[in-house]
Amino acid sequence: MNIILNLSSDFKKELNKDNRNYLEYVDITLKDKTEIKLTNKELWGNSLAIKDAVSSENSFDIGAAIINQCSFIINNIYDNYSIYDFSEANVVVYVGMELSNGTIEKIRKGTFIVDEAKYNGSLISITCLDYLSKFDKDYSISTLKYPATLLEIYLDACKNCGITYITARFDNDDYVVKERPDDSALTFRQVLQWICQISCKWARMDVYGRLALKWYEQATFEQTGNLNGGTFKDQPGGKFENLLSNSGTSIYAPASKGVIRDFISKTLKANTTYTLVSSAKVPNENAFIRVYDKTSSNILCNFSNGQNGVEKVVFTTPQSVSGNSVKFVVFGNSGSGTVSRWACLYEGNVDAPLYWTPAQGEEQYEMADCADGGTFDFDTGDVVDAGTFEDQESIHHLHSFFSATVFTDDVVITGIHVKEFAKDSKKAGTYESGEEGYLLEISNNKFILPGNGQDVADYLGEKLIGLRFRPFSISALSNPSIEAGDCAYITDRKNNTYQTFITSSTFQVGNQQKLSCGAETPSRNSASRYSQITQAYVDNRNQTEQQLTEYEKIVNQITDVIANSLGMFRTVKRTENGGVIVYQHNKPKLEDSDTIWKKTELGFEVSTDGGKTWNAGIDSSGNAFLNVLAVIGFYFDWAKGGTLTLGGSSNKNGILRVLNSSGGLVGKIDQSGSELNGKFTSKSANVWGVEYISLTDAIISGGLGDTQWTILDLVAQYEDRRRHAAFSCENGTIHLKGNKILIEGDAAVIGSKSRIVETDNYETVAQYCYETPTPMFGDIGGGQINSDGIAIIDIDPIFANTVCAVANYHVFLQKEGEGDIWVSKKEGDYFIVKGTPNLEFSWEIKAIQRNFESYRLNNVELYYLYQNAYLDYDDEIDENINELVEESDAEIHGMLDEVIYKYDLEMEELINESN
């Protein structure tokens, strides 16, 4: 679930009161570890800005990985900061607010790296990029072997770029990429984008600099689908209809008595009770407001208590009241300033809401997470509580803005087109899911190879088809909790409410916040919409980094996060038995917090979504659940998981050893290969119904029997358990059995080559091969001389394609009768035989095999045998056995020596401690 940045209820109240007096905090850590802390005093006025996006400006993208940006200007009039080198410094940004109780709440807005620092005399302009910029490294440094799953590629990218992630698993992460893409001019961020496209995600860094792969929370709209920007005016207590049509604008008081606002209203009725609500922010204690009708001859009411806040007055109009306006007049003012922000007039003595609503029945929500404010509830029915939407933690409501462009139609995704990538474009297919209408297309993704296109299209179709949203672009009062990727409702001036997504946001202190949901119009996208992968916003740069172990990297990353923390608050709840449950949380109130540590007598756990789910914990029995575990070493009795990776980069050469109960080596895999002592059985895979094993350069040793020595015994069998293929070596005889045997490369034999043939009347016999100094192919046939003394023999075209061309072959003739024959001509596809008319004959053709023209009696280096070809094989076996025994004994003794040495050290330490 996508949780929006967490603000306390008090912070939200300040925003709802239009308080935008933000406190700015920028904590900078230079490369030399020097720390600089900046606030509003050191920052140039209203210069702090943060731009973030999860899609291109005018399109709706799948798989975006956009680097977000922060900028600010340092006041350097007195040269306080001229001595510092800001390049590649780490920057943490907060936005704060002084609350009504006098405390300050700080909201972390992001973690960045300085990309550019410009000195301009008295000002220093800083531009920063978030940690996603670390993925702009050449992919060629990756040593990951393909085929690989998306998860393996993702984890490898994070490791190589030094990024901590909070997304450890994601949808479709078991998708297999068959081939490694060409890594020339390829970066890890491009690879990350391909991963996100196939898994239907976008990538962004959270405020702590941790990578998250997410997608818009579509379920949010399903859960709150009944919120339609409605009027909420049929609640118990009557109808609320604001009679003032120009009531939502601040009104400014003159320095003395005078009319400050003439509000247009519906015609006032005589002898009728009205309720007037207004924000009476008088500039001094002597000022008050008097309200007249249009003629200014009838006093309707006074705001006379000098209250700073919202005031409600009930009055009854006189018989002589007239006109369709209400005048606000200030009295006793000793200085200019805002007297009232807004006013609402309702007919009747009603329990009116203490906030502004639009004029004449067009009710609208107030701000952020509030829908018309108030605490009234509907009794029953398919409705939404009009109170604060605290349960909608993943949704905003946008309704109060300065300028807005809202599309006239919703975008509804109807289909997906996926084009496979292949170097030969003719081999790349295009596949689709869904139907014509508003289509998204994926192309140029080098992880979608021929054979994968339809699977990707079907997967994305299930995720995206039917997705509905309303594109828009607005400028609104700033809200630091709004980020790109959040879900929102947007309500226009006509009180129509639509569901949408925020694809980009520009937050700037002291200025309007620019928000948008980018997409092409449905009409322009009636055929297809190309989701071009968002490219880098900055040039790639190669960096020379200190090589750290994976453990050190993770420790440093966690240390960076904790170093910039703001501290915790504590809540203790007492249980029925007198015990306590202790909560530590990141907001003053437990109910406002999203990060919560909970500790009981049974264990402790931590949540980052306000206690809905728990990310990590440990119970009193020692059972723990974690996300990523980084340790120097650990011992275990058993382990279960999906992927085991040993070695690589700073972990150097990985080693896997398997020992028996006595400490003897059963098998080992290291950089030099694999070694297995004892029986080997594999049922590791199933291809076309065949269970098989595959060994390369394997050395397998066994024991010496009374009558035979078995060096290797491999068995491949079908699912019916019948033994269809085998390879064994017994008593110097190698037995190879299989339906088909394929040898790739040269095959050399010492001794004869023969085929075993069974006969009907005799024993099974051997038929031997015909050998030649040069590799040859041959064909046999027959013919007859015609009456003209000529026979034309066509050479089989298939045979001709297997041998050396241009008539470089030999023909042997055998006449079958009296007469004479000879070869008169040879061509590449035929030869001519002349002789006695009507004479029958047989022929044989022999030609050198294609691509073996240079082979003739080549010397053979018997590298796999001793130089003496007549070595006694029994002696060789004995020598190999002795070597294996000696190696095993040496390894066992070495292990025993190590165990004894460690034992002696431990005993010596115990003796020293006891003394």
Side-chain angles (χ1 to χ4, degrees):
M1 184 176 183
N2 296 340
I3 304 297
I4 63 179
L5 284 184
N6 189 32
L7 306 180
S8 70
S9 57
D10 291 334
F11 200 123
K12 293 178 183 178
K13 288 178 181 177
E14 294 299 321
L15 294 179
N16 292 341
K17 292 189 295 184
D18 288 354
N19 184 357
R20 296 300 187 274
N21 296 318
Y22 294 121
L23 304 176
E24 304 164 55
Y25 303 90
V26 177
D27 296 345
I28 303 176
T29 303
L30 305 179
K31 287 192 296 184
D32 63 2
K33 304 304 180 183
T34 300
E35 295 185 357
I36 303 173
K37 296 186 179 295
L38 307 176
T39 63
N40 296 57
K41 181 180 178 181
E42 294 81 21
L43 295 171
W44 197 257
N46 300 333
S47 65
L48 178 61
I50 297 174
K51 298 178 181 180
D52 67 313
V54 293
S55 183
S56 301
E57 183 176 355
N58 295 315
S59 61
F60 189 78
D61 295 336
I62 311 170
I66 299 176
I67 298 172
N68 295 326
Q69 179 178 300
C70 171
S71 60
F72 54 90
I73 299 175
I74 302 175
N75 185 346
N76 194 41
I77 293 177
Y78 301 105
D79 286 329
N80 294 332
Y81 304 99
S82 299
I83 62 174
Y84 297 118
D85 178 9
F86 290 98
S87 62
E88 299 183 18
N90 195 73
V91 177
V92 179
V93 177
Y94 303 88
V95 173
M97 178 78 75
E98 184 175 357
L99 307 180
S100 58
N101 58 9
T103 62
I104 293 176
E105 180 175 347
K106 296 169 67 175
I107 306 302
R108 185 163 177 155
K109 285 293 292 177
T111 303
F112 304 90
I113 302 172
V114 173
D115 180 61
E116 185 178 51
K118 293 182 179 180
Y119 293 78
N120 181 20
S122 59
L123 301 178
I124 301 176
S125 301
I126 304 290
T127 301
C128 308
L129 307 176
D130 72 7
Y131 278 14
L132 204 61
S133 60
K134 292 187 176 184
F135 283 99
D136 283 337
K137 298 173 65 174
D138 291 337
Y139 191 68
S140 58
I141 68 174
S142 171
T143 59
L144 181 66
K145 301 298 183 183
Y146 285 68
T149 64
L150 291 184
L151 180 61
E152 291 172 326
I153 300 170
Y154 166 78
L155 296 177
D156 174 72
C158 292
K159 181 187 71 172
N160 279 285
C161 298
I163 293 295
T164 303
Y165 49 84
I166 56 176
T167 301
R169 297 297 301 267
F170 50 89
D171 297 338
N172 213 17
D173 63 8
D174 57 352
Y175 175 95
V176 176
V177 181
K178 303 172 187 176
E179 300 176 6
R180 181 185 177 104
D182 180 10
D183 56 21
S184 58
L186 178 64
T187 66
F188 282 96
R189 186 150 64 94
Q190 183 72 71
V191 167
L192 183 62
Q193 291 166 346
W194 292 340
I195 293 172
C196 290
Q197 276 197 327
I198 296 173
S199 58
C200 192
K201 302 289 184 183
W202 33 254
R204 67 167 297 148
M205 309 305 295
D206 75 349
V207 296
Y208 296 97
R210 301 172 299 187
L211 177 62
L213 305 188
K214 296 184 178 182
W215 188 246
Y216 309 100
E217 195 63 37
Q218 300 161 236
T220 301
F221 296 126
E222 298 172 3
Q223 297 168 0
T224 60
N226 301 311
L227 178 62
N228 61 3
T231 62
F232 290 112
K233 62 184 180 181
D234 295 328
Q235 80 287 359
K239 298 177 180 291
F240 293 139
E241 182 179 5
N242 181 11
L243 305 179
L244 304 181
S245 61
N246 59 338
S247 61
T249 306
S250 297
I251 45 185
Y252 194 73
S256 59
K257 174 185 174 182
V259 178
I260 58 175
R261 174 62 67 186
D262 190 354
F263 288 109
I264 306 301
S265 72
K266 289 187 176 182
T267 301
L268 298 177
K269 302 176 183 178
N271 301 318
T272 302
T273 300
Y274 291 91
T275 300
L276 180 64
V277 180
S278 181
S279 59
K281 289 189 176 181
V282 293
N284 58 75
E285 61 183 6
N286 298 319
F288 68 95
I289 300 171
R290 179 165 292 170
V291 182
Y292 295 87
D293 65 0
K294 184 176 182 178
T295 63
S296 299
S297 58
N298 292 304
I299 300 175
L300 302 180
C301 63
N302 291 330
F303 288 94
S304 58
N305 61 356
Q307 176 186 357
N308 269 329
V310 178
E311 186 172 356
K312 178 170 64 177
V313 177
V314 179
F315 63 91
T316 301
T317 56
Q319 179 66 36
S320 60
V321 70
S322 65
N324 58 351
S325 68
V326 177
K327 297 182 185 297
F328 275 51
V329 181
V330 64
F331 287 84
N333 192 26
S334 59
S336 61
T338 299
V339 175
S340 180
R341 287 190 301 134
W342 49 263
C344 296
L345 182 65
Y346 305 100
E347 184 176 346
N349 184 355
V350 297
D351 186 15
L354 300 180
Y355 52 85
W356 173 72
T357 59
Q360 301 186 10
E362 293 183 356
E363 284 74 14
Q364 158 175 334
Y365 302 123
E366 166 57 15
M367 182 64 191
D369 299 328
C370 298
D372 276 358
T375 58
F376 55 85
D377 296 329
F378 292 93
D379 292 332
T380 58
D382 191 18
V383 293
V384 178
D385 188 335
T388 59
F389 280 31
E390 293 180 353
D391 292 335
Q392 299 184 27
E393 293 181 333
S394 58
I395 195 168
H396 300 283
H397 186 211
L398 311 174
H399 59 87
S400 180
F401 29 77
F402 299 96
S403 62
T405 300
V406 180
F407 279 27
T408 57
D409 298 297
D410 281 343
V411 165
V412 181
I413 297 174
T414 61
I416 306 294
H417 278 190
V418 174
K419 185 174 182 179
E420 296 170 335
F421 176 83
K423 293 181 180 178
D424 183 358
S425 59
K426 296 179 180 178
K427 297 180 180 180
T430 300
Y431 300 90
E432 62 182 42
S433 176
E435 58 187 22
E436 293 297 319
Y438 199 99
L439 305 178
L440 298 182
E441 181 166 316
I442 304 297
S443 60
N444 296 321
N445 187 325
K446 294 184 180 180
F447 285 171
I448 306 177
L449 300 175
N452 297 131
Q454 189 62 61
D455 291 339
V456 175
D458 291 342
Y459 172 80
L460 294 178
E462 292 179 4
K463 291 282 187 179
L464 295 172
I465 292 176
L467 181 65
R468 176 187 295 271
F469 59 93
R470 181 63 62 97
F472 73 93
S473 176
I474 66 172
S475 295
L477 286 174
S478 60
N479 183 338
S481 70
I482 299 178
E483 292 184 305
D486 290 347
C487 300
Y489 287 107
I490 182 168
T491 300
D492 62 18
R493 297 295 185 186
K494 296 182 179 179
N495 206 36
N496 299 313
T497 299
Y498 315 100
Q499 65 188 42
T500 189
F501 306 116
I502 298 171
T503 60
S504 68
S505 166
T506 299
F507 174 89
Q508 184 171 2
V509 173
N511 207 337
Q512 302 167 13
Q513 186 168 2
K514 297 179 181 180
L515 304 169
S516 68
C517 176
E520 289 185 354
T521 61
S523 59
R524 288 184 60 191
N525 199 5
S526 59
S528 70
R529 152 80 189 107
Y530 289 84
S531 178
Q532 300 295 339
I533 300 174
T534 307
Q535 298 298 320
Y537 285 174
V538 295
D539 294 334
N540 294 336
R541 58 178 64 88
N542 295 323
Q543 301 176 358
T544 303
E545 299 178 346
Q546 179 184 4
Q547 293 297 317
L548 301 174
T549 66
E550 296 308 310
Y551 173 78
E552 290 171 329
K553 288 179 182 178
I554 293 178
V555 168
N556 289 344
Q557 292 161 1
I558 294 176
T559 301
D560 289 342
V561 171
I562 294 177
N564 293 290
S565 63
L566 297 175
M568 301 286 283
F569 300 91
R570 190 168 182 264
T571 299
V572 178
K573 293 187 177 181
R574 190 166 297 278
T575 61
E576 295 179 355
N577 64 354
V580 297
I581 298 176
V582 179
Y583 297 88
Q584 290 179 297
H585 39 91
N586 64 331
K587 297 294 178 184
K589 297 180 181 178
L590 177 61
E591 58 269 23
D592 291 336
S593 301
D594 50 8
T595 300
I596 300 174
W597 292 80
K598 178 181 178 182
K599 183 167 66 174
T600 72
E601 80 282 6
L602 298 178
F604 68 88
E605 52 192 353
V606 61
S607 171
T608 56
D609 59 6
K612 292 183 174 59
T613 59
W614 301 91
N615 304 332
I618 183 170
D619 65 16
S620 57
S621 300
N623 299 313
F625 63 98
L626 304 167
N627 186 5
V628 177
L629 178 65
V631 296
I632 295 177
F634 65 95
Y635 293 87
F636 63 91
D637 288 332
W638 60 269
K640 185 179 185 300
T643 301
L644 175 65
T645 302
L646 302 176
S649 188
S650 300
N651 286 326
K652 301 180 179 179
N653 297 320
I655 301 176
L656 175 64
R657 288 193 182 97
V658 179
L659 309 179
N660 58 26
S661 58
S662 302
L665 182 66
V666 176
K668 180 177 69 172
I669 301 176
D670 58 20
Q671 77 278 8
S672 62
S674 60
E675 180 181 343
L676 179 66
N677 299 311
K679 184 179 179 181
F680 179 89
T681 303
S682 174
K683 297 179 180 179
S684 59
N686 190 294
V687 178
W688 301 308
V690 179
E691 296 180 359
Y692 76 98
I693 60 175
S694 176
L695 293 179
T696 302
D697 296 330
I699 301 175
I700 301 179
S701 59
L704 180 62
D706 293 335
T707 59
Q708 67 177 12
W709 165 250
T710 301
I711 296 178
L712 184 61
D713 188 4
L714 306 181
V715 178
Q717 58 189 14
Y718 286 90
E719 291 176 331
D720 60 7
R721 301 305 178 190
R722 294 176 58 197
R723 182 167 172 154
H724 288 275
F727 178 89
S728 63
C729 178
E730 299 179 4
N731 294 332
T733 300
I734 295 177
H735 179 213
L736 180 61
K737 178 182 179 181
N739 292 337
K740 294 181 179 180
I741 298 173
L742 173 65
I743 298 177
E744 294 188 13
D746 296 340
V749 176
I750 296 179
S752 63
K753 291 187 294 184
S754 61
R755 176 184 172 190
I756 307 301
V757 181
E758 295 182 359
T759 63
D760 293 335
N761 301 320
Y762 303 92
E763 297 178 352
T764 301
V765 298
Q767 295 275 39
Y768 295 93
C769 298
Y770 176 75
E771 310 284 359
T772 61
T774 299
M776 306 284 286
F777 285 143
D779 197 6
I780 297 175
Q784 185 178 21
I785 304 297
N786 63 17
S787 58
D788 295 328
I790 297 175
I792 300 175
I793 306 300
D794 292 323
I795 298 175
D796 188 324
I798 298 177
F799 173 82
N801 271 267
T802 66
V803 297
C804 182
V806 196
N808 187 16
Y809 56 87
H810 303 277
V811 179
F812 303 90
L813 303 177
Q814 176 64 49
K815 58 184 179 180
E816 298 176 359
E818 295 182 357
D820 195 11
I821 56 173
W822 64 91
V823 176
S824 67
K825 186 177 183 180
K826 293 191 298 183
E827 296 290 345
D829 54 353
Y830 69 92
F831 60 89
I832 298 175
V833 179
K834 292 185 178 182
T836 305
N838 301 320
L839 177 62
E840 295 181 354
F841 63 92
S842 298
W843 58 264
E844 180 179 5
I845 180 173
K846 291 182 180 179
I848 299 176
Q849 298 175 18
R850 176 174 292 183
N851 299 325
F852 288 87
E853 294 87 344
S854 62
Y855 281 51
R856 181 172 177 81
L857 296 174
N858 292 9
N859 291 328
V860 178
E861 181 181 357
L862 300 181
Y863 58 90
Y864 46 86
L865 295 176
Y866 289 93
Q867 292 183 356
N868 184 357
Y870 302 100
L871 178 70
D872 188 331
Y873 283 55
D874 292 335
D875 292 341
E876 181 185 5
I877 292 174
D878 291 339
E879 290 177 10
N880 288 338
I881 294 172
N882 292 333
E883 289 178 3
L884 290 170
V885 171
E886 289 174 2
E887 290 176 1
S888 298
D889 287 344
E891 187 159 3
I892 291 173
H893 286 304
M895 295 178 63
L896 290 175
D897 290 342
E898 185 178 358
V899 171
I900 294 171
Y901 175 72
K902 290 182 178 179
Y903 176 80
D904 290 341
L905 287 178
E906 292 175 357
M907 293 301 297
E908 184 177 352
E909 290 176 357
L910 291 174
I911 293 172
N912 293 334
E913 291 176 1
S914 63
N915 292 333

